[in-house]
Amino acid sequence: MELYHNNMSVCAQKVRLVLREKNLHPAEHHLNLRKGEATTPEYLKLNPNGVVPTLIDHGIPIIESTVICEYLDEAYPQVTMRPQDLVQRATMRVWTMCPDAGLHHACGVTSFSIAFRHQMLKLPPEEIERQLAEKPNPKLRENVRATIQLGIDAPQFAESFKAYGAVISKMSQQLDQTPWLAGDEYSLADAAMLPYVCRLEDLNLSWMWDARAAVSKWLERSKARPNYSGIADYLEDHYLQLMRTSGSELRDRLQAILAA
Ligand SMILES: N[C@@H](CCC(=O)N[C@@H](CS)C(=O)NCC(=O)O)C(=O)O
């Protein structure tokens, strides 16, 4: 088994949480996204979307992190991450589809507008253009361009950030009732959502759940599990430093956006 991934990518973190939960340790290929390593002709043959992660199992590439996690759970059922109860399983799926239904986009806009744009702004303008031109999806390309140039003043920022906040509030409602997102057991739902909450924490935005004790407790419980190594072992200090500083500097403006 092989995994093409990136240390700080939320989608890759999600898949690594599931792999660690199941005690699977594929050979790893780390792709530097800032250097365009996910858009090389060789990699595009594995993942035509030019994104990480990609899992190779029995020589076959499997793409889309949600699909990869479901695949792993079905192909390696020794440790199961789906509730037996079918209603809880349906609840699990509502959470696992959440990143694909908008949260992942909101997270990308939020992370880039607050922090990652600063890495890009250090590059010569022709290098920024080269990297943008490599993005196969034109809409994504223009979104990234706006967030690089305008940060949290980019037209799509407020809507994305509020959507992110709304997800935290939905999680809080669920976690007020059950210890894990799909019920009494840890499941694919928790693995799917943890990277997105950790990203907010990395951006120093944990004030977003100051008044939501159930989210703090869930986060603490999730990070205490051995599979959290799928995130912790890969954290890069210079990214964390950039995220913390940029998120702290913008705190007042971000709070005003959420309150508006
Ligand atoms: N729906 C895809 C999204 C994958 C995705 O957007 N991956 C990001 C990292 S989290 C990526 O590779 N971006 C390419 C880039 O930044 O150049 C999945 O869940 O696998």
Side-chain angles (χ1 to χ4, degrees), residues 26-207:
E28 295 179 7
H29 307 279
H30 184 262
L31 302 190
N32 185 330
L33 303 178
R34 300 286 175 272
K35 289 195 175 151
E37 289 178 2
T39 45
T40 60
E42 304 80 60
Y43 184 70
L44 288 173
K45 279 186 207 149
L46 302 177
N47 187 328
N49 299 331
V51 292
V52 290
T54 301
L55 183 81
I56 314 284
D57 201 18
H58 306 290
I60 310 290
I62 300 166
I63 62 169
E64 287 297 329
S65 58
T66 307
V67 175
I68 297 172
C69 292
E70 285 263 354
Y71 167 80
L72 286 169
D73 201 48
E74 289 176 341
Y76 298 92
Q78 295 81 351
V79 174
T80 180
M81 295 182 72
R82 273 171 299 172
Q84 287 310 304
D85 178 86
L86 294 185
V87 173
Q88 289 190 5
R89 197 177 288 191
T91 303
M92 176 198 86
R93 291 213 165 94
V94 172
W95 289 110
T96 58
M97 70 181 276
C98 186
D100 303 313
L103 175 63
H104 183 64
H105 174 73
C107 175
V109 172
T110 299
S111 308
F112 254 84
S113 306
I114 294 176
F116 299 154
R117 67 187 286 256
H118 296 294
Q119 296 171 320
M120 300 295 285
L121 287 169
K122 283 191 188 143
L123 301 172
E126 52 287 2
E127 174 57 19
I128 298 180
E129 283 309 316
R130 193 194 62 75
Q131 289 197 23
L132 287 172
E134 274 182 348
K135 297 204 176 298
N137 177 336
K139 198 168 166 213
L140 173 73
R141 192 184 310 143
E142 290 320 307
N143 272 338
V144 175
R145 185 195 300 282
T147 56
I148 294 171
Q149 289 171 345
L150 302 170
I152 69 169
D153 293 313
Q156 70 271 41
F157 180 79
E159 193 186 335
S160 290
F161 190 50
K162 283 180 177 202
Y164 214 153
V167 169
I168 297 297
S169 114
K170 262 204 262 170
M171 288 180 73
S172 173
Q173 283 164 21
Q174 176 69 48
L175 294 166
D176 276 338
Q177 295 165 47
T178 54
W180 299 106
L181 286 169
D184 295 332
E185 305 293 332
Y186 182 82
S187 76
L188 290 178
D190 304 286
M193 297 303 290
L194 182 63
Y196 294 93
V197 179
C198 288
R199 172 58 57 85
L200 291 175
E201 195 180 39
D202 291 344
L203 288 163
N204 238 348
L205 305 182
S206 51
W207 49 261

